[in-house]
Amino acid sequence: MLGVPGKGLTMATTRAVIFDFGGTLFSYENAIRSREERARTLAQWLSLDDDDVTPVLAALRSGTMHAMGKHFPQAFYLHRDLFADAGRFAAEALGKTLSPELAAAWVELVSSSLLDLTPRPGLHEVLRELRARGLHVGSASNADADD
């Protein structure tokens, strides 16, 4: 509904639909499932016991929250910087230091796991129906150009 001066509310004609790409059109479920594998890799890089990754997972959660607190208030940030800081902060929480080389490798590992997106159930049918109704369909993403 739109307000029109002097005429009150009117119905707007929908001509296009824009979806968020990650999380809406596609699921991150596979990336979430591979979280323990990434934690095990980080434990190995930091010379930690990789049999029980529970403390590494906890450090990654807190490191990610710390990195978000650092980057989200900024007007602009790159995901690679956010991911690198999350890895560094996680390592610090575990009493270790993540070298610049390992931080870069961590960014690649996390970024590659995000490529394993799966379409949400019913996605194709919904998009076909929208197109059949004559609507333009688009997607938006906050992913960086290098993601």
Side-chain angles (χ1 to χ4, degrees):
M1 302 263 258
L2 298 174
V4 177
K7 296 198 181 212
L9 296 177
T10 61
M11 294 297 288
T13 302
T14 302
R15 296 186 178 133
V17 180
I18 300 174
F19 293 98
D20 177 51
F21 186 82
T24 303
L25 294 176
F26 291 86
S27 170
Y28 288 110
E29 189 175 319
N30 291 339
I32 292 168
R33 268 199 298 266
S34 64
R35 183 176 31 207
E36 280 193 27
E37 189 177 312
R38 288 191 306 278
R40 195 170 318 288
T41 298
L42 184 62
Q44 291 167 354
W45 290 351
L46 297 174
S47 301
L48 296 170
D49 178 17
D50 64 352
D51 288 337
D52 178 16
V53 295
T54 305
V56 180
L57 287 168
L60 283 168
R61 274 191 296 281
S62 70
T64 299
M65 295 306 292
H66 187 171
M68 288 176 172
K70 174 183 174 183
H71 291 279
F72 282 7
Q74 299 175 9
F76 177 81
Y77 66 90
L78 295 173
H79 285 85
R80 67 174 166 256
D81 296 335
L82 174 78
F83 297 156
D85 280 341
R88 279 192 284 272
F89 295 146
E92 289 172 13
L94 295 163
K96 300 287 187 170
T97 301
L98 195 63
S99 70
E101 296 80 18
L102 286 178
W106 178 251
V107 169
E108 289 303 313
L109 183 64
V110 173
S111 296
S112 67
S113 73
L114 296 177
L115 296 175
D116 193 13
L117 300 175
T118 55
R120 293 265 186 206
L123 171 64
H124 295 100
E125 294 80 9
V126 168
L127 294 177
R128 268 195 294 278
E129 178 62 25
L130 291 171
R131 294 298 291 160
R133 292 181 184 198
L135 295 171
H136 296 278
V137 178
S139 68
S141 177
N142 66 340
D144 306 327
D146 62 341
D147 281 349

